[in-house]
Amino acid sequence: MQEQYRTPAREGVHETEINRSRFLCAIAPVADEREAQEFVARIRREHPTATHNCFAYVIGADASVQKASDDGEPGGTAGVPMLQMLLRRETRYVAAVVTRYYGGVKLGAGGLIRAYGGVVGEALDALGTVTRQRFRLATVTVDHQRAGKLENDLRATGRAVRDVRYADADAVTIGIGLPDADVDAFRAWLADATAGTATFELGGEAYGDV
């Protein structure tokens, strides 16, 4: 399973001009394929008179869903280089649409490949990306007396505290995220920090910001 991936920091548009053709690359983080398709459709609606609206998107931390479209450009000269750039930059849960307004000068197949792939790379640079790391979810249960100090210690040592629940009259549960490699060391740290009074339970997996 993929340990980490990058995703766009925000939605945005980057524009460049190549031989009088305007290339506008719209990029957005997306949660699933439906959201990616809705983003593509929205950008197309915003540019109904464009010569081409080509797209590529990658869904899944392991890039399990990959789609691309040349939208009338010669086969393999637009959508595929866009997709390859997204993959080369290890971006996931991302959708990109490159809108081209033709300027009257043909670029040729090589020129198109460089233009479409290049503007996606430039857009990622301009908008920035965030790295998301795979975590094991875990729950620590501790008595009220120790809960406040333990929560502070967890945050002070850089642990990803996801939630704190005071639902029980006798105990507090603290949800955390841990890299797999840290699980054994954390068990030992927790036992030492709480004099063996806390319980520790591993859960499923999730991705969180590094």
Side-chain angles (χ1 to χ4, degrees):
M1 190 174 181
Q2 188 84 5
E3 285 299 315
Q4 64 180 33
Y5 65 87
R6 296 186 182 93
T7 200
R10 58 188 174 89
E11 181 180 328
V13 180
H14 173 76
E15 179 176 348
T16 190
E17 185 175 312
I18 302 171
N19 286 354
R20 299 210 297 267
S21 279
R22 289 175 64 210
F23 290 86
L24 294 87
C25 179
I27 282 185
V30 291
D32 51 34
E33 188 168 15
R34 179 185 59 79
E35 204 170 292
Q37 292 169 345
E38 289 174 353
F39 175 71
V40 172
R42 172 161 60 85
I43 299 301
R44 282 180 162 165
R45 286 194 302 272
E46 291 174 5
H47 297 278
T49 62
T51 318
H52 305 280
N53 282 293
C54 308
F55 73 81
Y57 57 79
V58 182
I59 308 297
D62 56 355
S64 56
V65 177
Q66 303 176 22
K67 295 285 174 63
S69 167
D70 295 314
D71 192 37
E73 293 280 31
T77 64
V80 169
M82 291 170 62
L83 180 63
Q84 288 174 337
M85 181 59 72
L86 294 176
L87 294 171
R88 191 178 307 143
R89 294 294 190 89
E90 296 182 345
T91 47
R92 307 289 188 263
Y93 295 102
V94 56
V97 182
V98 174
T99 299
R100 181 189 183 191
Y101 287 92
Y102 182 55
V105 179
K106 291 187 176 181
L107 300 181
L112 288 172
I113 290 169
R114 287 190 295 274
Y116 278 97
V119 72
V120 171
E122 290 172 11
L124 289 172
D125 289 339
L127 297 171
T129 58
V130 293
T131 300
R132 297 180 70 78
Q133 174 78 37
R134 183 165 68 94
F135 289 102
R136 287 296 299 274
L137 300 176
T139 302
V140 174
T141 304
V142 68
D143 60 64
H144 280 261
Q145 185 179 347
R146 299 178 191 270
K149 182 178 185 306
L150 179 61
E151 183 184 347
N152 289 337
D153 288 347
L154 287 167
R155 295 187 189 278
T157 54
R159 306 295 180 183
V161 177
R162 301 174 70 90
D163 59 67
V164 181
R165 294 188 298 275
Y166 291 82
D168 192 298
D170 300 317
V172 178
T173 60
I174 303 173
I176 60 171
L178 291 171
D180 265 342
D182 289 358
V183 170
D184 290 341
F186 180 79
R187 285 183 193 273
W189 176 88
L190 181 66
D192 186 54
T194 65
T197 60
T199 61
F200 177 73
E201 184 178 347
L202 273 178
E205 296 180 333
Y207 285 85
D209 294 341
V210 172

